[in-house]
Amino acid sequence: MTFPSAIVRIAAALAISVMPAALPAPASAQTAPATDWNRVVNQLPGGAFLLGNPKAKTRLVEYFSYTCSHCAQFMVDGMGPLRTGWIRRGLVAIEFRNAVRDPYDLTAALLARCGGKARFVTNHEALFNNFNAWMPKLQSYEETRDKSASTDQVATMQDIAEKTGLGDLLARRGLTPAAQKACLADKAQMQSVLAMTKDAWETRKISGTPFFLVDGKPQPSSHDWASLKPALPALPGAAN
């Protein structure tokens, strides 16, 4: 944990009167989702992004920071099982809320939002999946940058994106330098990110990132996939 300085389609068997009744479909077929909720992303009024069925019985909230190594590890360990086991079936929806810790985190947060709900989840996952590639560049940049060079926040974030590899990473995902510059200067998205951050650290007083809520209930002892999994609903027909 880090501290401050993120259905069911059932195939029907048709019975023919002159033949024995059809056998029940296998359990896997009975639980095949009619909608793959992994493909459904919405942006909520407060600015958070929601992956999955908006009407899922269980809402998982993750407060995250892009410069948080434990958040990156949760992506590696937890998002695969969450997607295939819970989100795909519409059982759980996950809401991503920023809890920004530093200028690098803020830069990444605004770049992740570039393209809106159509791009957010893939940008978000790309940033964490490449954490070990851009983090050393960030650390080197922090050690050598002239902290008095510019007082312009947008210019500072543009410099961070260019020199830490964040810009190149998202350029490979189709975000042009011009699009990135516009996103870093987007005051509405900035306001959303900072409001979520204030809610995280000052109102909810989260203890670090990642920090989870399950149906609005804080999970202060769950900081990784292994400790979060028991708080999720059991999967039908399988041990949780």
Side-chain angles (χ1 to χ4, degrees), residues 6-233:
I7 325 193
V8 178
R9 174 177 294 171
I10 301 176
L14 297 177
I16 302 176
S17 59
V18 295
M19 298 180 64
L23 293 174
S28 59
Q30 292 179 2
T31 58
T35 300
D36 182 355
W37 291 103
N38 279 310
R39 299 177 179 274
V40 178
V41 182
N42 288 285
Q43 187 167 13
L44 304 179
F49 286 91
L50 183 72
L51 171 63
N53 180 2
K55 297 182 179 180
K57 291 184 178 180
T58 299
R59 174 73 60 91
L60 172 64
V61 172
E62 179 191 5
Y63 284 96
F64 68 92
S65 305
Y66 284 112
T67 53
C68 162
S69 61
H70 292 84
C71 299
Q73 192 62 49
F74 176 75
M75 172 67 68
V76 172
D77 297 337
M79 282 307 298
L82 262 174
R83 278 179 167 275
T84 58
W86 285 265
I87 296 173
R88 180 180 67 94
R89 305 184 191 192
L91 303 175
V92 170
I94 182 170
E95 181 179 335
F96 300 102
R97 297 183 188 174
N98 296 94
V100 169
R101 307 185 311 157
D102 50 57
Y104 307 106
D105 189 5
L106 180 59
T107 302
L110 292 175
L111 291 175
R113 292 168 166 265
C114 224
K117 67 180 184 180
R119 287 182 176 266
F120 172 75
V121 172
T122 53
N123 287 344
H124 175 83
E125 293 183 343
L127 286 166
F128 277 132
N129 288 334
N130 290 276
F131 183 87
N132 291 332
W134 61 267
M135 183 54 64
K137 296 179 182 179
L138 182 157
Q139 293 168 339
S140 177
Y141 175 84
E142 172 63 16
E143 292 170 359
T144 59
R145 76 182 178 98
D146 181 357
K147 297 178 176 60
S148 64
S150 175
T151 57
D152 183 273
Q153 186 178 40
V154 174
T156 297
M157 290 191 296
Q158 289 172 355
D159 193 53
I160 289 172
E162 177 183 348
K163 294 178 180 177
T164 62
L166 288 173
D168 287 341
L169 172 62
L170 293 179
R172 294 195 296 271
R173 302 194 53 76
L175 292 175
T176 66
Q180 294 182 38
K181 182 177 181 180
C183 290
L184 292 174
D186 189 327
K187 293 182 179 180
Q189 292 298 332
M190 172 81 76
Q191 184 177 11
S192 292
V193 170
L194 295 181
M196 281 185 281
T197 295
K198 182 177 181 179
D199 170 69
W201 298 118
E202 297 182 15
T203 303
R204 294 190 179 274
K205 299 186 183 300
I206 67 172
S207 54
T209 55
F211 190 90
F212 301 100
L213 309 177
V214 176
D215 292 333
K217 183 178 179 180
Q219 306 295 312
S221 299
S222 299
H223 307 298
D224 55 22
W225 173 239
S227 55
L228 175 65
K229 184 179 177 182
L232 300 178

